[in-house]
Every structure is written in C-alpha cells, then in structure tokens.
Amino acid sequence: MARHAQVHVSTASRALSDDAAGVSTETVQRVRELAAMLGYRRDVGAAGLRTGSSRLIGVLVPRLTDIVLATIYESIDVAAGAAGYSTVVANTLDDTDHRRSHLDAMLSRRIDGVIIGDSRIGDTAAYELQKLGVPYVLVMRKLEGHLSVTTDDFLGGRLAAEHLLGLGHRRVGVIAGDVLASTGIERTQGFRQAYEAAGYPIDDRYVVSSGFDTRGGLAAGVQLLNLAEPPTAIFAVNDFIALGAMGAVRDAGKRLREDVALVGYNDIDIAATLPVPLTSVRSALGDMGRLSVEALLLRMKGEAADPVLLPPVLVPRATTVGVVG
C-alpha cells in the first residue's frame, strides 16, 4: 500500500487509521482511495496488538428482546461509534454461568471496557473487572461502590405512589420484579415508603416479586387479585410486568381504572398506544446509554467519572385517570 501510494509505511498506516493526525487530507484521501481500489481491509486485530487497544466495548444485558435494554443498547452503540469504537453485546439471561462465559469471551478479545446492564446483588462481574483493571460502568441497575448511570428509581417509585394516593387509592399492590436487581428494589422501596409516610403502610402480602416480563406480571397480578381484599391499584416496577398485570385484571373480569388502577415504569413506546393507554414512570433510556459511554470513555483514559441519577417523570394515562389531554 505504501509503495503504491508513494509514502512511508507509517504514513499509510496512520492514513488508514481512525486517527490520521499528522497526515495531510490529500494524502489520507489518496491512500484510502487506493485501499478501496485494491480491496485492502485494515487488520483491526493486528492494529490492536500494536496499539494495545481493540477499539471494542463489551455490553452485558439480560436479554435484547426486552425493548428497554434494546433501546439502551442502541444508544450505547451510537455513542460508541461516534467515539470510534465498536460494541460487542451479549445476552446473559440474568444467569451467572451465562454472564461468566460471555465476559470471558469478551476479555479474550481484548475489549477496552465493559458496560454492565445486568448487575444483581451477589454478582461478581463488576468486582472481577475491577480486580483486572478493566474499565467498566453499570447502566440502568446499580451496585453499591460501583460507578453507575441510572434513573433515580427510588424517586420514580415515590412518584407512582403520590399519583395513586392523590387519586384516593389506599389499598394497593406492588409487583416488585427481581428482588436482587436495584431497579426492583428501589422502585418498590420508594413506593412503599411514600405510602407509609402517608399513613397507609403496605402489608407484605400485597408485595409480590416476579420476573421482569409479562408472564411474571400475569402470575403476580393473579396472586394480588385473588387476595380476600384485592388492591384497588397496582404498581408494576416495569411496563412489561404491567402488561402481564393487565391480563390478570381482564381474566378477573375487572376493568382497568374503574376497578383496578395500574401504573408501570419506563414508559416504553407501546405504553401510550395500548387499547387502554398505560400510566407509567418515564426513564430517559437513550440518555442512560449515551452517558454510560461517556463515563466509560473517561475511565478508559484514566480519568474520574461521577455516577449519574437521571430524573424520572410520571406520565398519567387512562389506566389511572381516564382520557388525558
């Protein structure tokens, strides 16, 4: 390549790299046009061995079929690409063995950093990366002592509670999600503490753990509605759980809002377009992904980054207040 372009080998290498500093625009264009004509493709792996950087960011998520995680990952990929990095994503299914094997595979590819979207209490991935000196950031979920970019989930739970309290609901249920994930824990805590502060503590029978999916929401919703005194309102800690709870309300022969009010969390796009639009607490999912990349890039440079708590916003719709607007 250098011989054909009549430049030094190091000049050709810089002209073909993401950072062509020190090479004139004319030379960069000539070298790259010649590379295209000759069918040359830069060996990123070999370049990584030379520079010590793979230009790869690993991303661990529970499952990409979850639109929340898919939305966050999309913004991660865009932000990483803008910074000159590619991403490698793995579905861990919230399973320790899956996470271990996928993380090992990423590390074998000499990734430059990791964004963890599946952290749970008791997991060791973040600690292992810390020990190895591999930069990492947690996104959406958090663990004490580790850098994270999340929504203020405690506040989000409180917003849901204040909304239902304002509508007069005193006997409420919570579908709390995974008891080992900060999202389920903090959203539930914020909700329960607001009710307790208002003088209506929630009995443990009215708080049911579940998976973060529609199947879990359906089963938990059935359990709540089968109580001797079923709740007049349910807070589901994500929108997929809420969708499952809608099925439980239907199967019980009850009507949304009139018989059982329902609040979800994250405000995914479908929430506004359901036959009965869902009241939900909105998370800034795109911002979470983008900011997690920015934090990781700082850590990869050896610089400090601060944790981020994005403000949630409650969006009222027909499952609690009827037609809005």
Side-chain angles (χ1 to χ4, degrees):
M1 281 293 304
R3 185 170 64 253
H4 282 294
Q6 297 183 333
V7 296
H8 193 272
V9 171
S10 63
T11 301
S13 177
R14 291 200 306 276
L16 291 168
S17 70
D18 296 321
D19 182 8
V23 184
S24 70
T25 303
E26 179 184 355
T27 299
V28 170
Q29 182 177 352
R30 184 170 79 252
V31 170
R32 291 184 178 180
E33 286 178 351
L34 182 59
M37 289 173 57
L38 296 175
Y40 173 83
R41 294 291 182 272
R42 185 165 175 259
D43 189 334
V44 177
L49 291 173
R50 184 178 68 254
T51 64
S53 171
S54 64
R55 309 299 291 183
L56 287 174
I57 291 173
V59 185
L60 298 172
V61 299
R63 45 185 60 79
L64 275 174
T65 52
D66 183 330
I67 190 63
V68 172
L69 277 306
T71 301
I72 292 174
Y73 171 65
E74 181 179 331
S75 63
I76 287 172
D77 192 53
V78 170
Y85 288 82
S86 297
T87 60
V88 179
V89 64
N91 291 290
T92 66
L93 307 179
D94 268 330
D95 177 82
T96 301
D97 291 338
H98 276 82
R99 183 181 298 103
R100 174 75 273 155
S101 62
H102 285 308
L103 183 58
D104 285 345
M106 288 180 176
L107 292 172
S108 72
R109 298 184 67 174
R110 303 172 61 88
I111 53 174
D112 293 322
V114 182
I115 295 177
I116 303 173
D118 68 339
S119 58
R120 300 167 81 232
I121 294 172
D123 288 344
T124 62
Y127 297 94
E128 291 172 17
L129 291 170
Q130 188 177 56
K131 185 176 180 180
L132 291 169
V134 177
Y136 66 92
V137 175
L138 276 57
V139 69
M140 190 179 70
R141 302 180 187 176
K142 64 173 79 164
L143 287 175
E144 186 175 356
H146 299 277
L147 178 66
S148 61
V149 177
T150 67
T151 299
D152 188 339
D153 288 319
F154 186 89
L155 174 58
R158 196 175 79 204
L159 291 176
E162 290 172 350
H163 178 62
L164 293 175
L165 282 165
L167 295 172
H169 293 283
R170 302 294 180 258
R171 190 174 65 251
V172 296
V174 182
I175 307 181
D178 187 341
V179 297
L180 295 179
S182 67
T183 45
I185 294 168
E186 295 193 358
R187 293 168 191 178
T188 299
Q189 286 179 341
F191 188 87
R192 293 189 76 172
Q193 287 188 24
Y195 259 84
E196 185 171 2
Y200 304 100
I202 301 171
D203 189 285
D204 288 344
R205 293 175 300 154
Y206 288 81
V207 180
V208 182
S209 62
S210 71
F212 285 120
D213 55 12
T214 54
R215 183 178 301 176
L218 175 62
V222 168
Q223 184 175 334
L224 287 172
L225 295 176
N226 280 338
L227 290 170
E229 293 183 293
T232 65
I234 294 174
F235 171 50
V237 299
N238 82 8
D239 289 341
F240 285 103
I241 293 174
L243 290 174
M246 283 184 172
V249 172
R250 176 203 61 212
D251 293 346
K254 297 180 181 293
R255 299 165 297 170
L256 284 165
R257 184 174 65 87
E258 288 90 345
D259 299 318
V260 184
L262 180 63
V263 178
Y265 203 107
N266 285 322
D267 195 32
I268 60 176
D269 288 343
I270 195 175
T273 58
L274 292 165
V276 182
L278 174 67
T279 294
S280 187
V281 178
R282 178 174 296 161
S283 296
L285 302 177
D287 289 345
M288 254 191 275
R290 174 179 57 81
L291 292 171
S292 68
V293 172
E294 291 180 7
L296 183 63
L297 292 174
L298 286 174
R299 298 196 89 176
M300 286 159 53
K301 295 176 185 176
E303 300 176 16
D306 295 322
V308 176
L309 271 182
L310 296 168
V313 177
L314 185 125
V315 183
R317 296 194 183 97
T319 56
T320 60
V321 295
V323 179
V324 179

